[in-house]
Amino acid sequence: MHKLRTWVSYRPPPSLLRSTTIELNRRLNGLSKLGCLEEARNLFDEMPDKDEFTWNTMVAAYANSGRLTDARKLFDESPVKGSITWSGLIAGYCRYGCEVEAFKLFSEMHMEGQRPTQYTMGSVLRLCSMTSSLQRGEQIHGYALKTGNDGNVFVSTGLVDMYAKCMCILEAESLFEKVADAKNHATWTAMLTGYSHNRDSFKAMDFFRHMRTEGVEINQFTFPSILTACAAVLANDFGLQVHGCIVKSGFGSNIFVQSALVDMYAKCRDLKSAKKKLESMEIDDAISWNSLIVGFVNQGLKGEALYTFQRMHAKNMKIDEYTLPSVLNSLASTKDVRNAKSVHCLILKSGFGRYQVVNNALVDVYSKQGNLDSALTIFNHMEGKDVVSWTSLVVGYSHNGSYEESLKLFCAMHVTGSIQLDQLIVANIMSSCAELAIMEFGQQLHAILVKSGLESSLSVDNSLVTMYAKCGAILDANRVFDSMQNRNVITYTALIVGYAQNGKGLYSLLLYDQMISAGIAPDYITFIGLLFACSHTGSLEKGRSYFNSMDNIHGIKPGAEHYACMIDLLGRSGNLSEAKQLLDQMDVEPDATVWKSLLGACRMHKELEMGEMAAKELFELEPKNSMPYVMLSNLYSAAGRWEDAAKIRKLMKCRGISKEPGSSWTQANGRTHTFVSEDRSHPMMARIYSKIDEVIALIKEAGYVPDMSFVLHDMEREGKELGLAYHSEKLALAFGLLVVPSGAVIRIYKNLRVCGDCHTAFKYISSLYDRHIVLRDSNCFHHFVDGKCSCGDYW
């Protein structure tokens, strides 16, 4: 109020009174252009006489500087509002993206009888370009046609730019051709930018050549657009030629052109040129440094990316929300936790913790480094969560083996209803379903994917093949495979491994031949699947051939996994001496998997001496693993050496090693039902035991004889038979026979290998009860149908 009273009582000095309005307007205009708004406003208030130019100048000054509230207030107070007054205010709203207010003012201007100028329409068209408002842009186009302004170069350039930015490139082309006499270098640049914006880089390059041929002026606005087009298609050679044009035309020192050059070279993987150009820049431009950092990250040069960021920080350059995600991305795939935390501290200190793109990158880096608690904390504190936020966390849990948590997060995301599925999250959730063998969940997700209309991708299709194969639904995996238009080595390998694990190893070998015929080279994992298939089909000669071809033909050095498969194959076929010879000749150090394969073969063929040797190696390699102790104890028991078997069990006890208890589970009515041997905790246990007694009596009549070699304790025959009858997998099967509808598949999962007696019993049960039984043990799937198993008794 005091300030207002001062203005009211103020009398302008004589010198101001003697100045003419024209002189004062000139001074006011000068202050406005310099951005001295307070001084301009003081002069405006002091002027004894104000004409239309005075009001227009002050309204435009406020509008151009973003002080839109002050501009609107002054606009409303203006005694005379001409088209220039309206245009000045509208231009301000357009410049700062106030779409609703700008179009409302444009409409009011028209209703007030003021005819929008070419500059007004140009401003509104630029806003339409910025906001991709095609419908409003078309309305302005219609108005321009009615008023005859469509032939104005300013308006026609705005229309070309608007249609191109709204992804209507054909309309932009048509308009460009029609305005032959109403186009200048800005119109040509708008068309070139349109091609680049619509990712039609090759047309952009042809158009640039055409501009050069026509002698059109090329400036600092043209070059960034053509360089962006070159970067999009990695046209480094063309970019070099454009660089030559830039130097010749004298725009080599323009900061925007220089930044575009760094970006082009970085995206074209010419990091040497990108770095050289960056070093030559007189002004340190954050965008250019960001481009180089991203270039290093994309080429896997994580150390260079981090070093560049450190240099950038040392120069006290302005770091923005685009710099930090690139740096975090460079740390995501490494275990450099210290630097990740340092960058996180910098984010908090610099106030970038409120930016969603930065938080997404933090969630991603902590997830990939296995620090899921930190990732979850950041995620929970985010105000807004988009598909990237959810995907980073879901994928992080999946990659770190927390498959159940990954599925729970996905369900929470789906419940929100506001996040659209993307291909990355679908592929990872399918992988979690595959690892947990939860086919029902995978099927539901498959259905959601189809209903959503989300376009499938190679990674999603591959994950579907893998999921169905790992869940024992090999026919469904094959259907997805057949429906795919594109396939790669991952596709074929997923089905090759799937066939092998589901007892269809011969199909794996046939599919491998089909893969080679399609011109697709196998990889490291492909041969694991092939050798596994040979091992479980007894294809000894094929296995030898594939193993020898790895290095000789495909240049793939066999790893421990391949040697383990070969030793397993040789051992199963009874060639234990050759298996031991191969082990001695290994190019890599034998790991626990290799010795386990040899020990398993010794257990199968009751080769005690070699089995003892393998077990002792495993005692050293995996001192806390119960498997070699149990296997050696089984060997002694099978040989009737009960005292030695007891000594091994005593040794386990002394060393504090406990055997993982065998358990089996099955799903029914949306619940998982788990059983252990001789379990009596299930609510239906009375019916389950009654069913087992019925089943055992029936299969004995059909010829089943309990295999006592799988009883590991010295006891009377009756006790041995009861011990076999109440194994966890038999309890799960009895439950399945009671609750799973006739004709439906009974699916059972076991954490250990199925014992030989249960395997034999399941074959009889599948025949006598006419049921398809799928049992997944720790090694593979067993499909029991009509008294036979898909594994052919190779397991």
Side-chain angles (χ1 to χ4, degrees):
M1 291 297 292
H2 173 72
K3 189 173 183 180
L4 181 60
R5 285 195 298 270
T6 303
W7 286 351
V8 171
S9 60
Y10 175 76
R11 291 291 182 271
S15 59
L16 185 61
L17 290 170
R18 288 195 296 271
S19 299
T20 65
T21 302
I22 293 174
E23 291 173 342
L24 293 174
N25 280 343
R26 189 182 297 114
R27 197 184 308 172
L28 180 68
N29 190 38
L31 290 170
S32 300
K33 287 181 177 179
L34 290 172
C36 304
L37 294 185
E38 299 307 321
E39 292 88 339
R41 181 59 194 254
N42 288 337
L43 176 60
F44 176 85
D45 291 335
E46 293 168 356
M47 289 177 64
D49 297 312
K50 302 180 183 70
D51 58 15
E52 187 176 348
F53 181 87
T54 313
W55 287 91
N56 290 348
T57 302
M58 201 66 227
V59 169
Y62 276 139
N64 289 335
S65 65
R67 291 174 58 171
L68 299 175
T69 303
D70 291 329
R72 182 60 195 255
K73 185 173 182 295
L74 206 61
F75 173 85
D76 291 337
E77 294 173 359
S78 177
V80 180
K81 300 181 184 69
S83 61
I84 296 176
T85 323
W86 285 89
S87 294
L89 184 61
I90 291 172
Y93 279 110
C94 289
R95 173 178 292 184
Y96 292 96
C98 301
E99 184 179 359
V100 175
E101 294 85 351
F103 281 107
K104 184 180 178 183
L105 278 169
F106 185 84
S107 178
E108 288 176 0
M109 178 182 182
H110 183 60
M111 287 188 291
E112 288 289 330
Q114 294 289 342
R115 185 171 179 174
T117 66
Q118 55 181 328
Y119 303 109
T120 316
M121 285 186 278
S123 297
V124 177
L125 286 169
R126 274 196 300 274
L127 179 60
C128 293
S129 299
M130 289 167 51
T131 58
S132 299
S133 301
L134 177 61
Q135 186 176 4
R136 281 177 168 155
E138 288 175 330
Q139 291 172 357
I140 302 299
H141 190 184
Y143 181 82
L145 288 169
K146 287 180 180 178
T147 57
N149 280 299
D150 58 311
N152 179 274
V153 66
F154 198 75
V155 176
S156 61
T157 300
L159 286 168
V160 169
D161 184 61
M162 181 275 296
Y163 280 118
K165 296 282 178 62
C166 290
M167 311 306 286
C168 296
I169 194 65
L170 294 178
E171 286 82 349
E173 282 182 328
S174 176
L175 195 61
F176 179 83
E177 294 299 330
K178 286 179 181 176
V179 292
D181 298 327
K183 58 188 177 188
N184 58 12
H185 67 278
T187 320
W188 284 80
T189 298
M191 193 66 239
L192 173 64
T193 305
Y195 285 128
S196 181
H197 183 78
N198 283 265
R199 299 181 181 178
D200 199 341
S201 298
F202 294 107
K203 265 197 174 180
M205 289 188 282
D206 286 339
F207 194 79
F208 182 78
R209 291 191 192 96
H210 187 41
M211 287 179 70
R212 298 271 295 161
T213 304
E214 291 291 319
V216 178
E217 178 189 345
I218 297 173
N219 57 23
Q220 69 270 29
F221 303 107
T222 315
F223 288 120
S225 295
I226 187 59
L227 289 170
T228 299
C230 293
V233 292
L234 307 182
N236 193 42
D237 290 342
F238 196 94
L240 279 167
Q241 295 176 27
V242 174
H243 193 172
C245 293
I246 290 168
V247 174
K248 288 179 181 178
S249 59
F251 287 103
S253 60
N254 182 273
I255 187 68
F256 299 109
V257 175
Q258 289 178 323
S259 180
L261 277 168
V262 173
D263 183 65
M264 185 274 294
Y265 282 126
K267 286 178 178 173
C268 288
R269 302 174 184 174
D270 185 358
L271 294 176
K272 184 178 179 181
S273 296
K275 189 175 180 180
K276 183 179 178 181
K277 186 62 202 171
L278 182 72
E279 299 289 354
S280 71
M281 292 174 66
E282 294 180 5
I283 301 173
D284 286 325
D285 174 54
I287 296 174
S288 304
W289 283 75
N290 288 347
S291 296
L292 187 59
I293 291 171
V294 171
F296 283 131
V297 171
N298 289 342
Q299 292 208 49
L301 302 172
K302 311 299 170 84
E304 289 285 348
L306 186 60
Y307 174 68
T308 304
F309 172 71
Q310 289 168 340
R311 284 186 59 203
M312 187 178 181
H313 187 49
K315 286 174 171 281
N316 292 320
M317 291 178 62
K318 183 182 178 182
I319 295 170
D320 59 26
E321 68 271 26
Y322 302 106
T323 313
L324 295 164
S326 300
V327 175
L328 289 169
N329 190 22
S330 72
L331 300 169
S333 59
T334 68
K335 297 299 180 183
D336 192 351
V337 177
R338 185 178 63 84
N339 274 320
K341 289 184 176 179
S342 297
V343 175
H344 190 180
C345 290
L346 177 62
I347 288 168
L348 296 175
K349 288 178 181 178
S350 57
F352 284 107
R354 66 182 185 275
Y355 286 88
Q356 183 163 302
V357 66
V358 175
N359 282 321
N360 285 346
L362 279 170
V363 171
D364 183 61
V365 71
Y366 281 129
S367 295
K368 287 179 178 175
Q369 290 184 347
N371 191 349
L372 296 176
D373 289 339
S374 295
L376 186 60
T377 300
I378 295 165
F379 179 83
N380 287 335
H381 283 87
M382 290 175 65
E383 292 183 6
K385 301 177 180 72
D386 58 13
V387 68
V388 177
S389 321
W390 285 95
T391 300
S392 296
L393 197 61
V394 169
V395 171
Y397 274 99
S398 178
H399 282 185
N400 284 279
S402 299
Y403 303 115
E404 289 187 27
E405 290 301 319
S406 176
L407 296 181
K408 287 177 183 177
L409 275 167
F410 173 77
C411 291
M413 182 196 88
H414 192 57
V415 166
T416 65
S418 59
I419 307 296
Q420 296 295 320
L421 291 178
D422 71 356
Q423 294 164 343
L424 179 59
I425 200 168
V426 169
N428 277 273
I429 290 298
M430 287 294 182
S431 296
S432 294
C433 293
E435 295 300 328
L436 296 172
I438 307 177
M439 191 172 76
E440 290 79 4
F441 196 104
Q443 287 174 317
Q444 292 173 21
L445 180 58
H446 192 180
I448 291 170
L449 176 65
V450 173
K451 288 179 182 177
S452 70
L454 178 68
E455 186 176 348
S456 191
S457 68
L458 187 58
S459 63
V460 171
D461 289 338
N462 286 345
S463 66
L464 279 168
V465 173
T466 303
M467 185 275 293
Y468 281 120
K470 285 192 173 182
C471 289
I474 195 64
L475 291 178
D476 291 316
N478 195 68
R479 287 190 191 99
V480 175
F481 180 90
D482 288 340
S483 70
M484 292 173 64
Q485 294 182 347
N486 298 310
R487 304 184 186 105
N488 61 5
V489 64
I490 297 173
T491 321
Y492 279 94
T493 299
L495 198 55
I496 286 170
V497 173
Y499 278 138
Q501 290 181 331
N502 282 271
K504 294 183 179 290
L506 294 177
Y507 285 89
S508 296
L509 311 187
L510 291 172
L511 187 61
Y512 176 72
D513 292 338
Q514 182 182 331
M515 172 183 165
I516 297 300
S517 298
I520 297 175
D523 65 8
Y524 189 93
I525 307 297
T526 310
F527 282 105
I528 294 177
L530 277 175
L531 295 173
F532 185 92
C534 292
S535 176
H536 287 72
T537 55
S539 304
L540 182 57
E541 293 307 318
K542 279 279 188 181
R544 285 175 175 147
S545 174
Y546 291 137
F547 185 78
N548 292 331
S549 72
M550 286 183 64
D551 194 10
N552 296 336
I553 298 176
H554 300 288
I556 300 172
K557 293 289 183 184
E561 302 95 333
H562 303 104
Y563 281 104
C565 288
M566 274 305 296
I567 289 169
D568 186 61
L569 170 58
L570 292 166
R572 286 173 185 274
S573 62
N575 295 290
L576 285 170
S577 59
E578 187 181 345
K580 177 62 171 63
Q581 185 181 1
L582 179 64
L583 187 149
D584 293 336
Q585 295 172 351
M586 283 178 61
D587 293 332
V588 295
E589 190 68 24
D591 64 3
T593 309
V594 175
W595 289 108
K596 286 175 186 177
S597 296
L598 184 62
L599 181 56
C602 293
R603 166 72 175 86
M604 178 184 295
H605 295 287
K606 299 180 175 58
E607 175 57 55
L608 190 55
E609 185 179 348
M610 196 179 292
E612 286 177 321
M613 178 195 67
K616 287 176 182 177
E617 291 286 345
L618 286 166
F619 292 164
E620 296 293 327
L621 288 170
E622 295 184 347
K624 293 298 182 181
N625 189 351
S626 64
M627 179 268 185
Y629 294 91
V630 173
M631 292 284 279
L632 186 56
S633 176
N634 291 353
L635 265 171
Y636 285 135
S637 298
R641 292 171 55 173
W642 301 106
E643 289 185 8
D644 289 328
K647 286 179 182 177
I648 292 296
R649 290 195 295 273
K650 185 178 179 180
L651 182 60
M652 285 180 66
K653 188 174 181 180
C654 290
R655 293 179 176 178
I657 301 168
S658 58
K659 177 191 173 185
E660 182 183 3
S663 63
S664 300
W665 61 95
T666 187
Q667 294 177 336
N669 302 320
R671 290 183 55 201
T672 300
H673 302 262
T674 305
F675 304 88
V676 295
S677 291
E678 301 185 30
D679 191 357
R680 295 187 181 275
S681 62
H682 197 279
M684 292 177 59
M685 197 49 70
R687 292 179 62 194
I688 291 171
Y689 271 75
S690 176
K691 190 69 176 178
I692 285 180
D693 293 340
E694 170 202 311
V695 167
I696 297 297
L698 188 61
I699 63 176
K700 276 186 176 180
E701 290 180 10
Y704 161 73
V705 178
D707 189 344
M708 300 304 175
S709 66
F710 290 94
V711 179
L712 306 180
H713 301 283
D714 190 14
M715 61 178 70
E716 71 281 0
R717 181 176 180 82
E718 185 179 353
K720 289 182 178 181
E721 285 197 20
L722 287 175
L724 288 172
Y726 303 141
H727 276 190
S728 65
E729 53 264 58
K730 288 194 183 82
L731 294 175
L733 178 55
F735 173 75
L737 290 171
L738 288 169
V739 302
V740 177
S742 178
V745 177
I746 299 175
R747 297 182 182 276
I748 299 168
Y749 305 89
K750 186 174 181 180
N751 63 330
L752 305 176
R753 284 199 181 192
V754 60
C755 83
D757 179 75
C758 289
H759 192 271
T760 301
F762 274 38
K763 289 195 291 185
Y764 278 99
I765 295 167
S766 70
S767 175
L768 295 173
Y769 284 85
D770 191 24
R771 300 301 295 262
H772 180 184
I773 305 164
V774 178
L775 170 65
R776 193 192 84 162
D777 66 8
S778 62
N779 191 45
C780 64
F781 280 93
H782 303 266
H783 293 257
F784 299 95
V785 181
D786 295 332
K788 297 178 182 178
C789 180
S790 59
C791 74
D793 296 339
Y794 281 93
W795 85 96

